[in-house]
Every structure is written in structure tokens, then in C-alpha cells.
Amino acid sequence: MNAPASPLLDEATSPLDARQRAVVQRVSDAERAHILALPSNDPLDKKLRFRVEATGPELFGQPAAIRATLEVNATALDTVADRLSAGVRRVVLVGCGDSLAVMVAARAALESMLGVPCEPAQSLEFAYYQAHLLDAETAVIALSSSGETTRTVEALLMAQHRGSYTVAITNTAGSTLQTEANTSLKIEATRVGWPTQSSTAALALLLELAIRVGERRAVAEAATLRAAFDGLPEVMAEVLGRIDPLIADIAEFEVAADVQNVLFSGAGPNLASAIVGAAKVKECTTLHAVEIQVEEYHHYNSQKAGEPLFLLAPTGPSVPRAVDTGRDALRWGGRLYVVTTEGERAFDDSAGRIITLPPVPEPLSPLLYLLPVQLFGYRLGLSSYAAAASHG
């Protein structure tokens, strides 16, 4: 007897009703078919190379995608901001993969403006292990670009079952996630390549939502965030143009050095940037990559000789530990690339390569710090495939 694809499909034990179970079965079947159609891990696979090459225009198109997304959702954002401002005890932010990273990135801004815990949760963990704690005073915001990610749909259905207020963020009109949620926000992004603008546009929606809530609650810091946030698409465009040649040079160097594994480290909102950095390397290349929080780096023999580490450390409370992390990266014989704030002096004595980004309030900083790691995955992919082609 075949086991069901999900414990929520077991009629005897599932809290979901028959209609909800049918939804889970449908999205599960479709997701499996999609997975089987993904490119191979062969560096000469034309389908894989096409997807990497398609990532570039979307990556550089992120500022425009953010502006379009914010414009389209102006009314819906007010609806969600009004509902959250009216009083919730807790917000849960669910997603998988890059969507979960977006939730990690948005947490600081949402918590500072809303004044209640806003907890990122991996969709499976939430649906199967945590949803029993939900109630009508909890809001659940679920992010899936396709709107059909099985575990995220399950998470939203469990929230629906428990009577929580649900918000879907999706790139796909008419998707299951959008249909099932109380309110939805629509991402305006293309997704031919590996995810870039669908992630940053979703993050921009959450940051805009946080600021609108803060403005309604008269939180003092809301004006500071608003002043910085409204100009960020233009800042992102400048950063992309300026650092792309630097990142391309690093990628070529790493391919020539026969890189096999890349580490990314960050803390606070930019743990999300580390997660995305590792994801882009794994998507755009046949190489391996891992993310590790800056404190956790020191609790293991995390970096081996010859491995590169991207250290994402904007000015903020994690900088002193990030300095320790960079120092140990070099002590272990690794290569070090530090991304930090213009004018930050903490890394002046580091022998690593330093890339600086404009100053911005730390809760908003992932919109900038995602850019170098996205670029690195993309450029590493192009350099890797060019090297594989030259060797036949």
C-alpha cells in the first residue's frame, strides 16, 4: 500500500476537510511533475545553461519589478495594514526555499513596526508541527511565487482551519494560494531564469507593509524607514551597475581556482542574504554552497582551506562577530569577500576583499545585500559553463 504524499491527506487523522484534502492532492501531483521537468546537473545541459542566462536580465530588472509590484498592490497593502494594525497577537511568515529567506529578511522590519512576534517558519515544519498553536489572533502570511508550492499551501490551509487571518503573496494570479487566502498580494515579476526579482519584489511588499503598519501605529522609526525605502529601487539600480564587474571578476577567479564549495554568512535580516547566496550557487552551477549564521560559524570547523566565504555585514550589532568570522576565515586558509556599508571601518585591517554598499537602515538592507550574492551565483554559473565548454 502506497503512503499518501502528505500526512494531511490521511482521512483518518487529517484535520482538513475533504475539499481541503483535494486541494492538497492536486497541488502535490502538479508539483511532482514540475520537479521531474527541472534541468539536470550536467554543466553542458543546454536547458540548465539557458535558465542561467535568462537569470541575468531578470536580475538587472529588479528595480522596475519592485516599482511595478508596489504600484499594483497599493490598495491591497492598505487592507492588510489596516487588519494587522487592528490587533494581532502574533504573525507567522511561512515559505520554502527563497520564499522562506524573504520572510527571514522581512522579520526585523515587521516586528519593529507591528510590535508583536513575526516568526519565519518553514512551511512543512509549520503545517505538520506548529499549526496547532494557531488561533484567531494570529495572522499567517504565506509566500510562494508559483502559488502552488504544496507545503506552503498546506500551511495556509492549516491556518484557515484554525481560524487565523491569512495573506497570500504570489506571482501567479488565480493560483491556489491566492484563491484560498483571505487577502492576497500580487508580485509583478518574470520567472524565466532562477528566482531573483520575484524574491526582491516580495520582500519589498513586506517592507512596504511593515512601514504602513508603523505609520498607522505612529511608530517613531516609521518615518526613517519610509524616507530610505522610497528611493531604494534607484539605489539598487546604481549598485547593480557598479558591483557587477567586481563580482564577475571574483567569479572568474573562483572558477580558475577550481572552487567546489562556497560559504555565505550573515546575521539578523542578512542571514536571508546568506541563504539566498547559497541557493543561487546551487541553482546556477553544479557546485555546492552552504549558508551559516555568523555566530554558528564559530561552533564548528566550518570553513576548509581554499574555500571562499562571502561575509554579509552591514553596519549593525553583528559587525563585531562578523569581524571575528572574517579573521578566522583567513586563519583557516579560506578566501574572504566582505560586503559591508560604505564608511564602515571595522574591516579596514582585513586582508579579504571588501565590497561596500550605500548606508541604509539595517531592516531594509537585504534589498541591497541580496544583489551581490545573486550576481555571484549568476556570474559563477556563466564562468563555470564557459570553462566546461572550453574543455569539451
Side-chain angles (χ1 to χ4, degrees):
M1 180 178 178
N2 292 330
S6 163
L8 298 182
L9 291 173
D10 187 335
E11 183 177 351
T13 60
S14 176
L16 301 183
D17 62 28
R19 184 198 69 80
Q20 292 169 322
R21 292 197 304 275
V23 170
V24 172
Q25 186 68 66
R26 173 174 53 78
V27 296
S28 178
D29 291 345
E31 185 176 66
R32 184 59 185 166
H34 170 74
I35 290 170
L36 293 174
L38 288 173
S40 74
N41 206 36
D42 182 345
L44 298 178
D45 184 334
K46 292 181 179 179
K47 185 161 63 170
L48 179 59
R49 181 159 189 166
F50 168 80
R51 189 159 187 186
V52 174
E53 290 172 342
T55 300
E58 293 180 335
L59 198 164
F60 287 96
Q62 289 178 104
I66 287 172
R67 286 190 290 266
T69 296
L70 294 175
E71 181 179 354
V72 164
N73 288 278
T75 300
L77 280 164
D78 279 333
T79 299
V80 180
D82 287 341
R83 177 65 176 79
L84 296 182
S85 300
V88 293
R89 181 176 54 84
R90 174 183 175 225
V91 178
V92 184
L93 310 166
V94 298
C96 300
D98 282 15
S99 295
L100 178 58
V102 167
M103 298 312 205
V104 173
R107 177 181 195 165
L110 285 165
E111 288 186 334
S112 66
M113 295 294 101
L114 192 53
V116 301
C118 298
E119 308 158 46
Q122 203 280 338
S123 296
L124 181 149
E125 295 288 331
F126 177 77
Y128 298 172
Y129 296 103
Q130 300 167 15
H132 65 284
L133 297 175
L134 291 177
D135 56 29
E137 294 182 284
T138 304
V140 175
I141 302 177
L143 171 59
S144 165
S145 188
S146 68
E148 304 292 340
T149 303
T150 304
R151 306 288 87 86
T152 304
V153 170
E154 287 182 326
L156 188 133
L157 290 173
M158 287 297 290
Q160 182 186 84
H161 169 74
R162 300 287 299 181
S164 298
Y165 174 62
T166 56
V167 179
I169 304 178
T170 178
N171 206 160
T172 310
S175 65
T176 300
L177 203 68
Q178 183 185 63
T179 301
E180 295 292 336
N182 295 121
T183 310
S184 66
L185 301 172
K186 174 68 166 58
I187 302 164
E188 294 295 319
T190 60
R191 295 165 50 237
V192 179
W194 295 108
T196 54
Q197 58 181 241
S198 57
S199 299
T200 51
L203 176 56
L205 276 174
L206 288 165
L207 296 176
E208 173 68 25
L209 174 62
I211 295 168
R212 292 192 186 203
V213 169
E215 290 168 341
R216 283 161 170 75
R217 298 182 64 245
V219 177
E221 294 82 1
T224 300
L225 293 185
R226 170 63 70 198
F229 179 77
D230 286 349
L232 269 181
E234 288 70 31
V235 177
M236 291 173 70
E238 181 277 323
V239 166
L240 282 166
R242 174 169 58 85
I243 70 172
D244 182 44
L246 305 176
I247 299 296
D249 180 64
I250 292 170
E252 288 186 10
F253 174 85
E254 289 297 336
V255 170
D258 195 30
V259 63
Q260 296 299 311
N261 184 43
V262 185
L263 286 79
F264 296 85
S265 188
N270 284 295
L271 176 58
S273 300
I275 295 169
V276 169
K280 295 312 111 180
V281 169
K282 288 182 282 190
E283 289 167 342
C284 292
T285 78
T286 61
L287 305 176
H288 192 53
V290 293
E291 71 277 357
I292 187 164
Q293 199 265 2
V294 291
E295 175 61 29
E296 293 304 306
Y297 177 97
H298 300 275
H299 293 260
Y300 309 92
N301 185 4
S302 297
Q303 188 173 4
K304 314 307 179 187
E307 290 181 338
L309 169 69
F310 278 81
L311 186 58
L312 305 157
T315 296
S318 68
V319 163
R321 198 51 164 159
V323 171
D324 293 340
T325 304
R327 185 182 300 119
D328 282 351
L330 297 172
R331 182 169 65 88
W332 288 114
R335 294 185 290 277
L336 176 64
Y337 305 103
V338 179
V339 186
T340 190
T341 307
E342 292 171 1
E344 176 59 64
R345 303 267 68 94
F347 300 97
D348 284 357
D349 295 333
S350 173
R353 186 163 182 177
I354 311 296
I355 298 169
T356 60
L357 301 181
V360 65
E362 191 174 15
L364 306 181
S365 64
L367 276 180
L368 297 185
Y369 284 74
L370 285 168
L371 303 178
V373 299
Q374 291 174 336
L375 279 169
F376 180 70
Y378 166 64
R379 291 297 181 187
L380 190 68
L382 293 182
S383 295
S384 296
Y385 301 137
S390 69
H391 291 100

